[in-house]
Amino acid sequence: MILILDLGSNDNSALARMIRGLGVYSEIKAHDITQEELEKLENVKGIILNGGPLNVVDGKEIQVAEHIYRAGIPVLAVNVPNAQGSEKLDCWPQAEEEKKDFLKNFLFQTCGAEANWNMKNFIEDQVELIRRQVGDKKVLLALSGGVDSSVVAALLIKAIGKQLVCVHVNHGLMRKGESESVIDVFQNQMDANLVYVDAGERFLSKLAGVADPEQKRKIIGAEFIRVFEEEARKLEGIEFLAQGTIYPDIVESGTKTAKVVKSHHNVGGLPEDMNFKLVEPLYYLFKDEVRACGLELGLPYEMVFRQPFPGPGLGVRCLGAITKERLEAVREADAILREEFAKAGLDKKVWQYFTVVPDFKSVGVKDHARCFEYPVILRAVNTVDAMTATVEQLDWPILMKITDRILNEVKNVNRVCYDLSPKPCATIEWE
Ligand code: XMP
């Protein structure tokens, strides 16, 4: 592997991705790695000191520890002006292809690395590691049907089959067909040990009359943990909990120079007395690698390339206090939007697209009579990191087709609007 030491770069992940893209495994570590920690890492063929503007910690400029240079491993210093006796680059002014050529030379000539990082090898290694870690014990997984938990499930099924117990909690706020597809793929096709919990009514009764979005989120999160915990306590002999933690969660949780520290919280919140040991087989994968791993494991394309979907689901798209009537409207309208986007190939182009139903009505005319019904708002946005977003400039015919279908097929709806607001000022979701 190639070790990247974060000496203040604001984009260590891009470098790691580029190296992995060249077939060489790469990890990012903090600048103050100790000699013992370095010696414990297996097969380090090269070290890249990755400097940049975040190189001051506690008022002092980061220094490279002497032992790094003495480790007998080739060192490349990028943007580290005071680096000693190693290969140096003062910046990356080059175009992408030139960067790649430079890196290739460092990896394969200077370090003698081998290009053997691919998903087939990763899966083989993980299957072996999981079997060694778990032995004949059982592993529990909260399987939402999202990309990460689905890939973890597929990997664990390959490694330990029925020793994995997947629990799918349907909180009643899933999109149309979503829980059915989890059951179809994991129970019917992969023959997994799947516990399906239909908790829709339970969630809806907890949410009855609650209009505040943050309160709704808290109720959904807390109830999810309660249901999952109840199911876990019914099962005997579980020693491990599998989580879909992925590498960006770890990197974002803070190498020591990171300015924005975001704690990762994939499952979290389970009572400590349950005392599970963790299995996190995707710990070192970037998102695109997780998808590649999912495809290699035979998961359907739609599952692996699923658009982001918030944990509280349609609960934050049925605005204000949730009612069954409006929840059904938002679910049916969303299904139409997704179907039409898929037909037009927009599902592969647009980052996130969904419908929203607000908690007010407007006047309309149906069958020559006045009606008073809900509007559906369409939203389709593109973004890289969800911090800012632009609106997809949809063609008129597809907007009209979707509008037509929603007005004809979805009950209690008499108006369709397209949200033209970028983020900022708006957010992606309406709540
Ligand atoms: P906003 O609305 O903040 O959304 O622009 C940014 C991204 O985050 C998703 N989102 C959530 N995801 N739990 C989640 O797991 C939530 O409560 C939540 N709220 C927003 C949103 O769908 C978008 O992709």
Side-chain angles (χ1 to χ4, degrees):
M1 77 141 111
I2 296 293
L3 187 64
I4 297 172
L5 292 186
D6 176 21
L7 270 97
S9 164
N10 46 20
D11 214 350
N12 296 295
S13 297
L15 181 57
R17 273 303 296 122
M18 191 180 275
I19 295 171
R20 290 190 191 185
L22 293 170
V24 180
Y25 181 64
S26 173
E27 272 183 33
I28 303 160
K29 298 278 181 202
H31 66 278
D32 58 355
I33 187 167
T34 64
Q35 189 166 346
E36 293 74 47
E37 286 165 339
L38 180 59
E39 281 167 3
K40 258 193 221 152
L41 295 174
E42 280 175 33
N43 244 331
V44 179
K45 294 281 189 191
I47 298 177
I48 301 183
L49 308 174
N50 201 25
L54 309 175
N55 63 346
V56 177
V57 173
D58 297 333
K60 277 194 238 143
E61 198 169 312
I62 295 171
Q63 299 297 325
V64 182
E66 276 294 322
H67 73 85
I68 305 281
Y69 298 116
R70 289 198 309 267
I73 301 170
V75 175
L76 165 67
V78 181
N79 294 335
V80 185
N82 53 2
Q84 303 167 11
S86 42
E87 276 197 53
K88 270 196 204 180
L89 266 184
D90 288 334
C91 53
W92 286 107
Q94 300 104 317
E96 206 74 354
E97 279 313 305
E98 288 175 53
K99 270 192 211 176
K100 267 193 195 159
D101 286 341
F102 184 88
L103 269 180
K104 271 189 207 164
N105 191 54
F106 178 70
L107 302 180
F108 302 117
Q109 305 307 322
T110 312
C111 305
E114 278 174 52
N116 56 9
W117 168 252
N118 59 49
M119 278 308 129
K120 250 196 177 68
N121 293 349
F122 171 81
I123 291 168
E124 267 176 33
D125 288 352
Q126 283 304 319
V127 164
E128 184 55 37
L129 287 171
I130 292 165
R131 285 181 184 156
R132 239 188 276 161
Q133 184 189 4
V134 170
D136 60 357
K137 301 293 185 296
K138 284 189 191 160
V139 181
L140 181 65
L141 170 72
L143 175 59
S144 67
V147 181
D148 302 340
S149 69
S150 299
V151 176
V152 171
L155 194 49
L156 281 154
I157 290 165
K158 188 174 171 74
I160 55 167
K162 296 259 164 109
Q163 282 166 255
L164 173 72
V165 185
C166 304
V167 175
H168 176 71
V169 177
N170 180 354
H171 51 25
L173 306 165
M174 297 288 191
R175 290 173 294 187
K176 191 172 179 175
E178 210 154 26
S179 286
E180 290 81 354
S181 121
V182 169
I183 293 171
D184 183 48
V185 170
F186 290 100
Q187 201 165 54
N188 303 346
Q189 297 177 34
M190 295 190 144
D191 194 26
N193 212 340
L194 176 71
V195 179
Y196 172 71
V197 190
D198 182 358
E201 288 300 328
R202 181 169 165 170
F203 277 79
L204 283 187
S205 72
K206 288 272 172 191
L207 287 163
V210 181
D212 176 64
E214 288 315 304
Q215 199 57 29
K216 284 163 70 176
R217 275 191 172 79
K218 274 192 196 139
I219 291 172
I220 296 167
E223 199 57 18
F224 181 88
I225 288 164
R226 221 165 284 143
V227 174
F228 186 70
E229 187 198 346
E230 281 172 23
E231 292 304 318
R233 288 198 195 280
K234 284 185 208 161
L235 300 164
E236 302 252 304
I238 305 267
E239 278 198 19
F240 294 88
L241 181 74
Q243 288 198 152
T245 312
I246 68 171
Y247 205 39
D249 299 332
I250 314 302
V251 175
E252 282 176 32
S253 298
T255 58
K256 293 181 185 165
T257 62
K259 257 197 291 193
V260 185
V261 174
K262 190 170 117 192
S263 62
H264 78 277
H265 46 84
N266 253 313
V267 171
L270 280 180
E272 283 191 2
D273 69 328
M274 300 200 85
N275 227 353
F276 293 119
K277 289 173 225 158
L278 291 182
V279 181
E280 297 181 300
L282 309 182
Y283 199 87
Y284 288 106
L285 293 192
F286 288 105
K287 193 78 182 189
D288 57 330
E289 293 172 325
V290 173
R291 295 190 210 278
C293 181
L295 289 180
E296 185 72 37
L297 287 161
L299 288 177
Y301 181 92
E302 306 74 53
M303 190 169 252
V304 166
F305 283 89
R306 195 179 89 140
Q307 57 166 320
F309 186 58
L314 299 179
V316 289
R317 295 176 181 171
C318 180
L319 305 187
I322 298 168
T323 62
K324 277 193 180 164
E325 196 180 49
R326 286 190 303 112
L327 186 58
E328 219 31 49
V330 79
R331 196 188 328 264
E332 290 299 324
D334 174 80
I336 292 171
L337 178 76
R338 285 193 288 141
E339 198 180 311
E340 292 303 327
F341 263 47
K343 274 192 219 158
L346 287 165
D347 57 333
K348 298 192 176 64
K349 176 176 179 239
V350 181
W351 197 81
Q352 200 172 13
Y353 45 97
F354 55 88
T355 57
V356 174
V357 173
D359 52 352
F360 57 81
K361 294 178 175 177
S362 75
V363 178
V365 196
K366 276 189 182 172
D367 300 326
H368 310 289
R370 178 186 185 278
C371 63
F372 195 50
E373 293 178 327
Y374 297 106
V376 166
I377 296 148
L378 311 177
R379 186 115 172 97
V381 296
N382 292 306
T383 174
V384 175
D385 55 8
M387 302 298 282
T388 61
T390 54
V391 174
E392 171 70 15
Q393 296 192 18
L394 285 177
D395 290 335
W396 203 251
I398 187 157
L399 276 172
M400 293 315 291
K401 175 109 186 274
I402 293 165
T403 301
D404 215 40
R405 280 196 61 191
I406 290 176
L407 292 178
N408 279 301
E409 296 172 35
V410 183
K411 282 189 207 136
N412 305 305
V413 171
N414 64 357
R415 209 177 274 274
V416 176
C417 307
Y418 188 45
D419 182 352
L420 294 177
S421 330
K423 176 180 181 176
C425 301
T427 49
I428 294 176
E429 303 286 347
W430 271 56
E431 277 193 340

